[in-house]
Amino acid sequence: MNAKLLKRESEREAMNAPAKLQAFFDYLGTAPEKPKTQELAKILHSEIIWTFPKGAGPIVGGTHRGIIEISELLSRIFTEFYDRTQFRFELHEMFGNDVNAVARYSVIAVTAYNQPYNNDYALICELRDGLIVRLEEYFDTAIAAKQMFPE
C-alpha cells in the first residue's frame, strides 16, 4: 500500500464511531472512581453533550456539557451510586458507521447501598473530529430507581 492510502485508512479507522464508542466503554470499565479529564479528552470532544432521561433524577437526568462536567458526573456515579469494584458492562450489540454508533448493553453491578443492580441500556453516539461529541443514553428509570433505592 502506498503512504496516501495508509493515511486514509488510519484516518478512517480513527473516525469509526463503533470503535470510538468501544474505546469509551473500555475506559469506563477500568476508569478510576474519579476519571481524569485528560484521559476522557482522548475519547470525548471538548464540546461533548451527554443526555440522560430526565426521569433519571436530579444528579444524572438531563443534559451534561463539556469534559469537566462529565468527569465530575462520572465521579459522582462511581462513588455515590455503585460499588466501583463490582461494576461491569455487558455489551449485547453495537453498530454504526464512520460518524454514528448505537450500543445496546446491560449494567451489572452492586449499588453503593449493597443492592444488586441489572438494567438494560441503549447509547447513541456521534463523532466529530474523531472524538465523541454527542451521547444520548436510554434506560428504564423505574427499574433503576427500584434497584438503587429499594423500599
Side-chain angles (χ1 to χ4, degrees):
M1 281 186 162
N2 68 33
K4 276 187 176 180
L5 185 57
L6 283 173
K7 184 178 180 204
R8 255 188 283 140
E9 280 299 312
S10 83
E11 286 172 356
R12 190 167 167 222
E13 188 175 293
M15 291 292 291
N16 182 290
K20 189 58 80 171
L21 188 53
Q22 181 66 57
F24 186 56
F25 277 113
D26 292 346
Y27 175 75
L28 291 180
T30 61
E33 284 186 348
K34 298 186 186 255
K36 304 210 178 323
T37 55
Q38 57 269 42
E39 293 297 318
L40 288 170
K42 295 175 185 175
I43 302 166
L44 303 178
H45 195 280
S46 62
E47 296 176 10
I48 179 69
I49 296 172
W50 193 349
T51 302
F52 293 83
K54 289 184 177 111
I59 294 171
V60 176
T63 300
H64 305 272
R65 300 174 194 284
I67 292 173
I68 292 171
E69 184 177 331
I70 287 170
S71 177
E72 291 168 357
L73 172 68
L74 289 170
S75 293
R76 291 193 74 181
I77 289 170
F78 289 151
T79 59
E80 296 177 29
F81 294 118
Y82 298 106
D83 174 346
R84 186 68 179 112
T85 65
Q86 299 185 64
F87 178 96
R88 69 182 173 89
F89 296 105
E90 186 175 293
L91 187 62
H92 304 299
E93 66 181 317
M94 186 180 317
F95 54 90
N97 56 35
D98 289 348
V99 178
N100 299 292
V102 176
R104 193 176 60 79
Y105 62 98
S106 297
V107 170
I108 300 161
V110 173
T111 71
Y113 305 102
N114 205 32
Q115 298 295 316
Y117 183 86
N118 188 337
N119 202 355
D120 296 323
Y121 290 72
L123 187 61
I124 299 169
C125 160
E126 177 184 340
L127 293 191
R128 183 186 317 148
D129 304 325
L131 299 169
I132 297 172
V133 71
R134 183 176 61 89
L135 293 165
E136 289 182 33
E137 189 160 340
Y138 298 93
F139 59 96
D140 187 324
T141 58
I143 288 175
K146 185 176 181 179
Q147 292 182 55
M148 282 285 175
F149 312 105
E151 296 179 69

